[in-house]
Amino acid sequence: MITCFIRYEIDPFKKEAFAEYARNWGQAIPQNGADLIGYFGPHEGSATTAYGVYTIESLASYEAYRARLASDPLGRENYEFARRERFILKEDRFFLKNVSAPHAKLVLP
């Protein structure tokens, strides 16, 4: 498994538009074959940095997933929404693998 991290620089005056975009991906990403961890928007600190994070089996699986997402009606609509509203100023995408697993069980105090 690999994890895709997408770092966004967003317009600080269009945070709600980004949140709508994120909610749309919350439906479209899992329906097209990736395991969405979540989209994370500004809360405290930076008003312009946001992240999207999901896992997928491999880079080959990623390529097939991207093709499905591009042909999915909600995926196409969401890409168009972002293009039209211009709330994303910059987007960086990178892939990492988890090298710390397996993890111990969480112990609460």
Side-chain angles (χ1 to χ4, degrees):
M1 288 297 258
I2 57 174
T3 304
C4 179
F5 291 83
I6 309 167
R7 181 185 179 278
Y8 297 95
E9 181 181 334
I10 63 172
D11 183 325
F13 300 104
K14 296 183 178 181
K15 290 189 281 187
E16 190 49 46
F18 180 81
E20 181 180 341
Y21 174 79
R23 287 188 297 272
N24 290 338
W25 286 138
Q27 301 305 306
I29 288 173
Q31 291 174 359
N32 284 281
D35 184 14
L36 181 64
I37 294 167
Y39 269 74
F40 303 87
H43 176 69
E44 186 66 32
S46 174
T48 61
T49 302
Y51 291 91
V53 183
Y54 61 88
T55 61
I56 197 153
E57 187 177 316
S58 65
L59 287 175
S61 298
Y62 170 76
E63 293 302 327
Y65 152 79
R66 292 285 291 185
R68 287 189 304 274
L69 198 59
S71 65
D72 179 81
L74 181 55
R76 283 195 317 269
E77 289 172 23
N78 215 29
Y79 286 130
E80 177 56 29
F81 172 58
R83 190 196 63 74
R84 182 179 65 247
E85 298 299 321
R86 299 182 179 267
F87 49 85
I88 297 172
L89 306 176
K90 183 178 177 184
E91 179 179 328
D92 296 312
R93 183 179 313 262
F94 53 97
F95 298 87
L96 301 174
K97 63 181 180 177
N98 185 341
V99 296
S100 65
H103 300 146
K105 291 187 184 225
L106 176 64
V107 176
L108 299 175

